[in-house]
Amino acid sequence: MYKIFFKPVADFFASLIGLILLSPIFTLVTIMLSIANNGKPFFVQLRPGKNLKVFKIVKFKTMNDKKDASGNLLSDAARLTKIGTFVRKTSLDEMPQLWNVLKGDMSLIGPRPLLTHYVHLYSDFQNRRHEVKPGITGLAQVNGRNAISWDEKFKFDVQYVDTISFALDVKIFFKTILKVIKSDGISAANEATIEPFNGK
């Protein structure tokens, strides 16, 4: 009953209230990132959701589009702006995803939606993460976020799918707040972002 009815209802109203209450911060960050990224404050990308249904995820854009002499994008670390570093450290880059939750593409809590080109690399076990809606935060995020291995991430994702409950969601929600305050696990070791998944 919780997963089918109460969780979607709670997601809708919580994201609506969140967007309203956080609108001043949302507006300020949008303006600052527009200046830093030449008028492009948002990052939009296709991601697989529940049952692999593809949707457009919206995040604040923390990296610019600077390229090298050959026209190739610079490394993530080189493109990460100063304001982008702050926005990522405080997890404000995830804020626009409240719109995805409001639309029903995502849940507040669930496995993080990964890249579409990873889908064909998943094992049957790993693919079980798509049995529920992806979330802004999840069990993997409060147990290491980007500082843990891909194998550990998938185990936490499937564990969440198998044990989803109101009590677990509440626990993940409050642990997420603590993680954000401490800025734990934002990046993989010595990297600006997590290393790509290669199917192993």
Side-chain angles (χ1 to χ4, degrees):
M1 179 66 76
Y2 170 70
K3 183 169 71 172
I4 297 174
F5 179 73
F6 290 107
K7 184 175 172 68
V9 172
D11 280 337
F12 177 84
F13 285 105
S15 59
L16 179 61
I17 294 173
L19 283 170
I20 293 173
L21 294 180
L22 296 173
S23 58
I25 298 176
F26 191 99
T27 302
L28 179 60
V29 174
T30 299
I31 294 173
M32 294 176 72
L33 288 175
S34 292
I35 296 172
N37 297 323
N38 298 316
K40 299 178 180 178
F42 300 109
F43 173 77
V44 180
Q45 189 176 55
L46 294 178
R47 298 286 177 94
K50 183 179 180 182
N51 299 322
L52 296 176
K53 181 180 179 181
V54 176
F55 69 98
K56 291 182 179 180
I57 194 172
V58 184
K59 300 178 68 174
F60 276 128
K61 187 177 176 67
T62 57
M63 295 184 288
N64 58 40
D65 299 317
K66 290 184 178 179
K67 300 179 181 179
D68 59 23
S70 300
N72 300 311
L73 286 173
L74 297 178
S75 67
D76 289 346
R79 294 187 295 118
L80 189 61
T81 62
K82 289 184 178 180
I83 179 62
T85 300
F86 171 77
V87 169
R88 180 174 294 185
K89 184 177 181 180
T90 55
S91 292
L92 289 173
D93 58 321
E94 312 288 357
M95 191 188 305
Q97 289 167 62
L98 288 171
W99 172 246
N100 287 117
V101 177
L102 190 65
K103 288 173 57 185
D105 296 325
M106 295 177 63
S107 176
L108 289 177
I109 298 170
R112 285 291 300 157
L114 302 176
L115 301 176
T116 53
H117 63 259
Y118 288 169
V119 171
H120 74 284
L121 299 174
Y122 297 148
S123 65
D124 290 340
F125 174 80
Q126 294 167 342
N127 200 43
R128 290 199 58 216
R129 68 193 314 280
H130 297 108
E131 292 178 11
V132 298
K133 287 182 181 180
I136 294 179
T137 186
L139 195 58
Q141 281 60 53
V142 298
N143 282 285
R145 201 172 176 181
N146 288 335
I148 59 176
S149 69
W150 279 107
D151 185 55
E152 291 174 301
K153 285 178 186 290
F154 288 123
K155 287 180 179 178
F156 280 124
D157 288 343
V158 176
Q159 180 183 337
Y160 178 79
V161 171
D162 289 336
T163 60
I164 184 171
S165 68
F166 174 72
L168 179 58
D169 279 358
V170 170
K171 181 179 179 180
I172 291 174
F173 176 79
F174 284 107
K175 287 188 72 173
T176 296
I177 294 176
L178 291 177
K179 287 286 183 179
V180 170
I181 293 174
K182 295 179 180 179
S183 299
D184 283 347
I186 294 175
S187 303
N190 302 316
E191 298 288 343
T193 56
I194 188 174
E195 63 180 46
F197 177 60
N198 59 18
K200 296 180 180 180

